[in-house]
Amino acid sequence: MLTETCLQPGHLARAVVHASWQDKLEVFWASDSGRSLSDFLEARLAANARVFPPEPLRALRLTALSDVRVLILGQDPYHGFGQAEGLAFSVQTGVKWPPSLRNIFKERLNDLGLQSPLSGSLLPWAAQGVLLLNTALTVEEGRAGSHAKCGWDKLTDSLMQAVAARPQPCVFMLWGAHAQAKSAMIRQSAAGPCLLLAANHPSPLSALRGPWPFMGCGHFSAAQAWLADHGLSVDWSLEA
């Protein structure tokens, strides 16, 4: 359980991640883009902006680079108070499910026959090697996309490239236009077997819209079958 609801000043400088990601982060924070992003975030916090989530790099603490079997890529964190918990599309136990998460569970039901879980937390997926990442890792309260062009993409691009460059098989689920824009980069970086699955964002604004509706995309079963062909598995049931 997270003790904070918002990002706190100085958090990123002391953030703990798995050692396998550390070199990527060190290179990024030492770069012009990294310093600019850090300065921007500290300035917004100094201006009393409420920035979510409290632990933007949590996915990198919970899932090691070598363990990634599936990378689910969204756009940016939930912008409602108390929703985002540092894993794309996930909310803490007891938090009302945002519409995007409800649609994910509906698609999971239609695709695999799995009933809605008791909790909206996707921690069990992260523990199995599902890297729950957004293209931007922070957002301000009530302002969707507010940090989309502040430099996070430089880091998240390098993280995706690192996943693709491994020899291990990996499924990339690209949900929404921001995520789909990364497909060419992933293919160019791929050193091992990878499956790219593209669909619209699960938001109600786009989940049913063409050309790749999220509802009915079948990504969960497609990933399950492809991973099985490569001797791997992910349990999508969300049982603790």
Side-chain angles (χ1 to χ4, degrees):
M1 183 69 70
L2 299 176
T3 58
E4 300 285 355
T5 53
C6 304
L7 181 64
Q8 299 299 307
H11 169 84
L12 292 174
R14 58 181 184 271
V16 176
V17 300
H18 190 274
S20 56
W21 300 107
Q22 193 61 51
D23 60 336
K24 299 296 179 185
L25 289 173
E26 288 176 356
V27 169
F28 174 71
W29 293 124
S31 70
D32 290 343
S33 295
R35 287 191 292 267
S36 177
L37 173 61
S38 181
D39 290 346
F40 167 78
L41 290 171
E42 292 300 323
R44 295 305 299 140
L45 294 173
N48 296 318
R50 290 214 274 195
V51 177
F52 308 135
E55 190 180 345
L57 303 176
R58 192 181 188 201
L60 305 183
R61 175 167 61 83
L62 297 176
T63 307
L65 174 59
S66 60
D67 291 341
V68 179
R69 299 180 178 189
V70 178
L71 193 159
I72 295 180
L73 185 63
Q75 181 171 331
D76 61 349
Y78 297 126
H79 56 84
F81 184 80
Q83 291 181 321
E85 65 164 353
L87 302 172
F89 300 108
S90 181
V91 296
Q92 293 187 73
T93 299
V95 173
K96 182 180 178 181
W97 300 349
S100 294
L101 185 58
R102 290 202 300 269
N103 279 340
I104 289 170
F105 291 151
K106 286 179 183 177
E107 174 57 22
R108 195 185 67 136
L109 171 63
N110 294 336
D111 190 17
L112 298 176
L114 294 172
Q115 297 297 319
S116 293
L118 296 177
S119 169
S121 174
L122 304 182
L123 278 169
W125 290 357
Q128 296 180 76
V130 179
L131 185 63
L132 297 156
L133 196 65
N134 284 307
T135 54
L137 300 184
T138 54
V139 70
E140 291 183 28
E141 185 175 22
R143 298 179 60 206
S146 52
H147 291 187
K149 297 181 179 179
C150 299
W152 277 122
D153 58 312
K154 302 294 186 184
L155 175 60
T156 54
D157 281 1
S158 74
L159 300 177
M160 284 181 276
Q161 288 172 317
V163 172
R166 305 168 312 151
Q168 297 100 318
C170 187
V171 179
F172 292 83
M173 297 182 180
L174 310 178
W175 294 350
H178 286 254
Q180 291 163 22
K182 309 300 182 181
S183 58
M185 179 193 71
I186 293 168
R187 288 193 180 95
Q188 290 167 2
S189 302
C194 21
L195 174 66
L196 271 65
L197 301 172
N200 284 349
H201 195 277
S203 162
L205 296 175
S206 59
L208 294 172
R209 195 174 61 215
W212 300 300
F214 178 80
M215 304 308 296
C217 68
H219 282 189
F220 296 110
S221 61
Q224 201 171 56
W226 188 87
L227 287 170
D229 287 343
H230 291 82
L232 299 171
S233 65
V234 167
D235 179 2
W236 297 114
S237 67
L238 286 172
E239 295 179 358

